[in-house]
Amino acid sequence: MRFNLDGLEVFFPYDRIYLEQHQYMRCLKQSLDAGGHCLLEMPTGTGKTVCLLSLITSYQYANPSAGKLIYCTRTVPEMNHVMEELATVLDYRARMLHPEEPSEVEITRPSGDMEDIGGTATERSSKRARKVYRRKESGKAPMGPSSSRAGAGGSGVLALCLSSRRNMCIHERVMAESDREAVDSACRSMTASWVIEASQKKPGSMETCAYYDNFQAAGESTSMPSGVYDLDELQKWGKSRGWCPYYLTRQAINHANILVFNYQYMLDPKVAKLVSKELGAESIVVFDEAHNIDSVCIEALSVTINDRGLEQATRSLGRLSSEVSRLKASDSQRLQQEYQNLVNGLIDQGLIQAPANDAALASNVLDPDVLNEAVPGNIRRAEHFVQFMRKVVEHLKTRLRSVAGPTGGVRSETPLAFLHRMTNGTSLETKPLKFAYSRLSSLLRTLQVSNLDDYNALTDIADFVSLLATYSEGVAKFAIIMEPNSSAIPGVTDPVIQLACLDSSLAIAPLFKRFGSVIITSGTLSPIDLYPKLLQFEPCISESLSMSTFRPCIRPLVITRGSDQLAVSTRYEDRGDMGVVRNYGAMLVELCSTIPDGVVAFFTSYSYMESLISEWDAIGILRELTKSKLVFIETKDVVETTLALDNYRRACDCGRGAVFLSVARGKVSEGINFDRHYGRAVIIFGVPFQYTLSHVLRARLEYLQTHYQIREQDFLNFDALRQASQCVGRVIRSKTDYGLMILADSRYTRHDKRSKLPKWILQFMDDSCINLSTDMAIAHVKSFLRLMGQPVDQEALQSVLLTVEEVIRMNPARPTISAGEGGAMIMDGQNSAAIASSSA
Amino acid sequence: MQVDEKRYSQVIFQKQSGELVLTETGLQFGTWQISWTQLVKHQVSPASYPKALLKLVLQGETNATFQLSNRTDLEQIRKEISIHLQQRSKKRPHSEVAIVTYGAPLDATATAVTRASLLAAHPSLRQQHAYLVQETCTLTEDEFWETHQHLLQEEHARISGLAQAGRSSFMQSRLPTSGRITLGVEEMRQIFIMYPAVHKAYEEKVPLELSDEQFWRKYLESEYFHRDRGRLGTVARNHANGEETNNNKNGKKPSGPSMEEQDARAAAVGTDDFFSRYAQKLQQEQKPLDHTKVGRRLATGQFDLASTLETERGHLLQGPKDNHPSNVHDDEKGARVIAKYNRHWAMVLHPDDAVAGADLLNVARQSPLQVLPDDEDAKWGGGVHREMQRLVGFAEATEEEANHADGRKADDAYEPLSLKNVEAYYSFKQSGNNTTTETSEEANERYKVFANTILGNVNALVQELVADETKLTELPPTCFPPPKLGRELLSALTKKMAADARTDSASLAMVEQLPSEFREKLQIYFRRCSELLRHFFALRQMKNSGEKLARIVLGMETFYRELDTMRKSFPHTDAGNMMQKMCLPLMDQLDWAFKLHREGSGVGGGGGFVTVEEIY
């Protein structure tokens, strides 16, 4: 449908649209017009991504001066999904703008077009083959270079995505390495500038990457034709030209209209400089699934140092010093050159503007003087710097030992105090410490180190001291926490020093400052007024949309008691109680024997899950569970969990279903949709609070209280409830999908908890299902499943899926607003009032 | 997968040294040939034994023992022979190992035990049994059970642990910690898969050091076995970080293991527990999962966590930290349980690959390569586009285009015809017809005529076909009525049925009105009636069953009278009438049986179940 939204022509690739999608687009448009940031919450399963893409691309089309769209996702599968939706949106626009040209859906895909690009792996070819078949069947929009004259989207759009080398490389030997570090260092060993130089001087002396060489040889002429490129397409295109897709994409970023990549390319200062430094200020930045963005920001600036890391750093320093002396003997000119550069300051030295292929380890939160000033004299010489770092490492070791020692224990210090002790203990000055990070990266470059990951521990320490020295003054936005953690082996401690960032706005502030529009959106951002406080920005629009449905497809149930009427809770005092353990177990067994297909259960923490599971195993509950469902359990290992998940999917596809036991703050709770039969119910045992005795958390809570006036309990509740709603929100994908959300803890009945759930969940929560015992809940479950098993009613569906005419009528140019024929369950105050007034 | 020929030199057999050759057809030593079909099973000497011996058990109870030069050869030849034997057993329709043969008679004790346990487990069966055998003496004990032979066999199999291999996801390997334990083949197989340490111990100790029975006795007595069954109340201990939690605060006694179990455990503590040693050994041998070797595509679409966490700098993306300290006090018990269940699903989902000692993680890794339908949907929002298209299509569709059952726009005009949608299917075509002019009576008349014509035609055709089989291929075009008439008739029939039919909810509402006492009673009567009728019809078929049959009929008559009395006792209200009506079908069934009995009495069996002629 093509419609006019407050003066902007929007190309929306479907004939009908949901009311909340329209509202969402209007909010987006208003914030783009105002050139401000915005916060938008819209339920999962209502087509958020397609709205974002179709509105922003339409906006770009209408305003050629608007900058790039930078779309940040969390995972690689999400990125692929965005690219697919983007292809749909742009294909529709191209067809609307140039109706005379045949749609690309039919004309592309000649046989052999999707030939195997992996070459070696047979698994790849089997996957490919299937894809071809499916694409034909479902008529998906085309990827890759656009074949039409006007280019993709009818106006020559270039849309790219970027990932790590491991996902993009096409060099056979490098691809055989399968972990990220190995791929990175294998690539660097063939593409670093000194390697290229050496091989140019003496061809054949060094192995270089043919794809990279071709790409460099092509130089400025390497341009990409208009089109939508996902990872597969980029690899294919690179292969067809003989160009390295990774570097090609890195270069093409500058003239792409749409960029899709991972959060870290924007937020992690170590990577951000590589990628996002040249993005224009007028760009539109979108963070999708951004409910945890404050945690990501904090993680990005926090550093943890332990014994192992320090040992490794010592070894790295040893290696560095031998490298330095070797170089001194063989090529002292190079060191001299570096010295000269350091005298001139970092920018002049070219570190900040380093060629894209050398890993530039610059930080975007560095002090401005660090960027402009000359490096202090006492660390300019390489051997002096190595000595300097040795002192730092030794000092940290002493501190760590004292923490673990008999008089040790948990200690918390401000950065200033820590720094003070460090300068006293090592007789180092503060100023050179600020430069440690940049000086190290310069040295690594001079020494032509390609396997940078071997120096990770040392880099972390340099990062640690640089941050420490930079942020020691003024308000303490960091805390140093030293803990003698007990390790898995009893009696042994594994002490750590943590530099914990307390202020989440620190990492994201440069983005808010630099870009005109930053859009933060997710399915769960409630309570929405807390995010501006946490991230320190002023959104011009902040809106939480509810869900229009034709049937109550979500049933939240709050179970507060077991069948024996004893209250269940994971409260600290209660969780060990056998009654609670047994009641939770019986609840799971009964639910699993009632609910068909997949069931997902979340626990508050990994350690709680472990102990509960071993109890359940002991009293035979798990055994009982295997009678009705196959049991899958998340582990700490990513690969194992992935395998468990994939097999869970298979079990749901072909049997009585399965139950997946998982952790509310784990890997699974974030990235995966348990929609349709993959999850008919999500159960969450307990309220997923953080560990309130954690010292890092305490420091942060204190900081929030004193600086942002956010009360401790408020933040804890908010944090737990956003996690809980994230977990239960996994259950639904579209409006014909349905699912149960079971919150099993007596504390969920309390208003302070319940009110923090998103509006679209609350709208389905009535008083009859907020204080249930297990047996009452089972009755609810049965009636709900029976109701939802019925086919969809066409008339009801029509009432929520608006036609073009209805959309046109909603345009405020003519203020009569209609929300369809009625039957739409809109709970939004404004709209229902509007509907009432229009019908009256 | 295997080479055609494998040679092992320096093999000693009956003091002769020579070469052992494995071929496609069998084994060869010198001039002696053993074909794979002759071979029943093979055994190897345990690892602790100095000589590397291979024992082949052949058909006809003969054995052959070879001594190989070293252990690696022995391991290899063992694996290869296993592969050959496996292939051979796969060719057979079922593995013969663990399947109960139905119909084999059970001995007296087994029968009694099985019957008792069946009765205990099934209340309805118990009720029937009490009524038919004990109260009314309509049936003898054996007669009653004859009709439940299948149930008996299943129950017996369940009790003795001889469940069919790979049949259920139920964990067989979880044995009770006290009381009588019966180990069947399936239990042993599952124990080996679920606990690799036990398998390793078995391989090395049996049969040279321990006999089969001794081994299992040791296992059941070991601390390893008991430790894995958990202790109650550990959650409390873990979370109090060593503090004693106050379990008695509600005046409850701390729940702990039963006395028997405690005794068993106490006894286990002192015994030599070599299983734990093997478990430790295995753990040391096992390297931590090598992530560099696992490959890229581990799962489909969004389920592939590794695709992000293993490629990007993962720590930012793993989800928010909960900062909870890890469980260090429970000596990895939780981790063990989790590992066990994660082996369990692998075993259930990959039954063919799950063999003792297999690395199930490796097995599970194969699964993403096996493509399932709708895999595209499993991607992150993979089906969103299609889903939206479907919904929009359905909302846009006109009445005849809409497929209401699936909630989509029908892809083409064709939609499978069913009674439910027949109206929607034809109504738009008929709307212009002049059918409205005739009254319903006229139409009914017409349908009758049509129906008779059709019947006549078809009958004639059938007669003809039966008479002359050669004509089968050529059907005269006139034998069926024109399609238009057929359609009309069908729609008329459907209308009538729709008018007669009640919806489920209506009948449910009606039932809700009846007193619950009556409903329960009716249910019991229904079961009794069915049971009696089953016996009645079964006995009619058998010869020499006159006496029994008479008893059954007597029983039915008593029952009939009882039912009749109850029916008459209902008040003449709406509900009462309804209840009276609801008794009628049962009585009708019995009436029918009586009629058959009267007609066939003295003959001793009239042709069994109802035949079609008898209905009309």
Side-chain angles (χ1 to χ4, degrees), chain A residues 14 16 76 81 130 163 166 175 178 180 264 572 615 617 649-650 656 673 691 734 736 794 798, chain B residues 169 174 234-235 239 292 296 300 302 308 311-312 322 327 370-371 375 380 385 387 394-397:
Chain A
Y14 303 102
R16 281 168 177 259
V76 175
H81 163 63
R130 181 160 50 85
S163 182
R166 185 183 187 257
M175 266 195 352
S178 116
R180 181 181 64 81
Q264 59 176 358
Y572 188 70
E615 287 303 303
D617 190 50
R649 177 182 68 86
R650 299 166 55 75
R656 285 173 301 180
N673 288 338
Y691 184 59
S734 84
T736 45
Q794 194 185 10
Q798 280 164 351
Chain B
S169 60
R174 251 212 76 137
T234 39
V235 170
H239 282 271
T292 55
R296 280 154 202 255
T300 310
Q302 58 154 332
T308 310
T311 59
E312 307 284 358
D322 59 4
N327 267 350
Q370 300 160 3
V371 176
D375 263 5
W380 199 93
H385 174 59
E387 176 77 1
F394 182 51
E396 294 277 291

Side-chain angles (χ1 to χ4, degrees), chain A residues 478-733:
Chain A
F478 285 81
I480 304 266
I481 314 255
M482 289 169 279
E483 279 180 289
N485 282 354
S486 45
S487 77
I489 309 152
V492 180
T493 54
D494 180 17
V496 288
I497 300 181
Q498 298 175 69
L499 176 73
C501 174
L502 304 176
D503 191 344
S504 46
S505 67
L506 220 49
I508 204 169
L511 298 183
F512 285 131
K513 221 183 288 170
R514 187 160 138 218
F515 297 108
S517 292
V518 177
I519 292 152
I520 292 176
T521 183
S522 170
T524 53
L525 285 177
S526 297
I528 205 159
D529 49 340
L530 207 52
Y531 283 87
K533 273 194 199 168
L534 285 175
L535 301 177
Q536 290 295 300
F537 76 111
E538 275 182 31
C540 68
I541 303 273
S542 110
E543 188 70 60
S544 167
L545 301 167
S546 52
M547 190 174 187
S548 65
T549 50
F550 50 88
R551 59 175 186 177
C553 55
I554 300 173
R555 175 70 62 88
L557 299 174
V558 177
I559 303 185
T560 55
R561 288 158 288 139
S563 293
D564 55 3
Q565 303 303 322
L566 273 179
V568 288
S569 173
T570 57
R571 205 177 305 142
Y572 188 70
E573 311 84 63
D574 291 349
R575 58 168 60 168
D577 190 84
M578 267 325 279
V580 173
V581 171
R582 196 174 292 121
N583 266 328
Y584 272 145
M587 190 187 299
L588 185 63
V589 169
E590 282 187 47
L591 286 169
C592 282
S593 51
T594 318
I595 300 166
D597 299 324
V599 174
V600 188
F602 288 102
F603 297 82
T604 49
S605 70
Y606 196 80
S607 51
Y608 183 58
M609 178 171 85
E610 262 189 351
S611 51
L612 205 57
I613 280 177
S614 67
E615 287 303 303
W616 283 353
D617 190 50
I619 54 180
I621 280 176
L622 284 183
R623 189 171 190 233
E624 203 57 33
L625 201 58
T626 53
K627 283 184 187 169
S628 45
K629 299 235 183 282
L630 209 49
V631 182
F632 294 79
I633 307 171
E634 176 179 348
T635 64
K636 283 180 176 160
D637 187 293
V638 181
V639 172
E640 267 180 46
T641 309
T642 304
L643 289 174
L645 271 171
D646 196 62
N647 282 278
Y648 168 80
R649 177 182 68 86
R650 299 166 55 75
C652 289
D653 277 339
C654 61
R656 285 173 301 180
V659 54
F660 198 95
L661 306 181
S662 171
V663 180
R665 288 166 183 276
K667 311 169 267 294
V668 175
S669 68
E670 281 289 309
I672 293 172
N673 288 338
F674 293 99
D675 50 20
R676 295 168 300 147
H677 61 291
Y678 298 131
R680 282 296 173 219
V682 172
I683 308 163
I684 176 155
F685 293 112
V687 187
F689 282 117
Q690 289 189 43
Y691 184 59
T692 41
L693 300 181
S694 147
H695 298 278
V696 178
L697 178 65
R698 295 242 67 94
R700 186 161 182 223
L701 288 175
E702 216 168 278
Y703 181 81
L704 290 175
Q705 169 88 55
T706 48
H707 292 93
Y708 298 146
Q709 287 76 47
I710 299 171
R711 285 192 312 148
E712 198 174 284
Q713 200 52 42
D714 280 347
F715 180 76
L716 287 175
N717 278 341
F718 150 77
D719 184 62
L721 266 294
R722 76 167 155 187
Q723 215 47 51
S725 43
Q726 237 338 273
C727 293
V728 293
R730 314 267 97 212
V731 81
I732 189 160
R733 183 183 70 185

